[in-house]
Amino acid sequence: MNENLPPCPECSGVYTYEMGALLVCPECGHEWPAAGEAAAAEGDTGGAQVIKDAVGNVLSDGDTVTVVKTLKVKGSPTGIKAGTKVRNIRLVDGVDGHDIDCKVDGFGPMQLKSSVVKKV
């Protein structure tokens, strides 16, 4: 058992345990999100948005990422191949899920979705 887990908010029971992304109280059966995830969820509504890559790493401005799957680019016969490194990304509130503003070598400035990149 982990001694750092908080007591149950319903019955104040101290025998809480983790079950996946939730904390569970065996005394009353109450389930609630873990403190770190609850704080992250509250932080999302408060302003700063957390953007994660395809494998769950948190991205920040200036990171270097790798494209994880081949992407079709309008107006280009080849597209962006999987494994292409993109340096110095900038996180933005883009349109239609495109939340990374960057410059891809050979293609120029464009926006990518964080779900198709992996942090290096």
Side-chain angles (χ1 to χ4, degrees):
M1 251 203 228
N2 189 351
E3 296 177 1
N4 297 332
L5 295 177
C8 176
E10 292 289 317
C11 69
S12 300
V14 295
Y15 299 108
T16 59
Y17 62 92
E18 291 183 74
M19 185 173 70
L22 298 175
L23 294 177
V24 181
C25 176
E27 295 175 321
C28 69
H30 180 66
E31 297 178 351
W32 69 99
E37 293 176 4
E42 291 170 7
D44 286 346
T45 59
Q49 181 178 349
V50 176
I51 298 176
K52 296 184 179 183
D53 67 2
V55 295
N57 298 322
V58 176
L59 297 172
S60 60
D61 287 344
D63 282 344
T64 298
V65 295
T66 302
V67 177
V68 295
K69 69 179 199 175
T70 302
L71 304 173
K72 294 180 182 179
V73 178
K74 197 175 200 180
S76 173
T78 58
I80 300 173
K81 293 184 180 181
T84 302
K85 278 192 177 182
V86 181
R87 292 176 177 82
N88 200 17
I89 65 169
R90 196 177 88 217
L91 303 178
V92 295
D93 290 328
V95 179
D96 196 30
H98 293 82
D99 45 13
I100 297 175
D101 197 15
C102 61
K103 184 176 179 183
V104 180
D105 292 338
F107 292 95
M110 63 177 46
Q111 289 189 337
L112 299 173
K113 292 184 178 183
S114 59
S115 61
V116 298
V117 298
K118 182 174 93 171
K119 189 173 181 177
V120 177

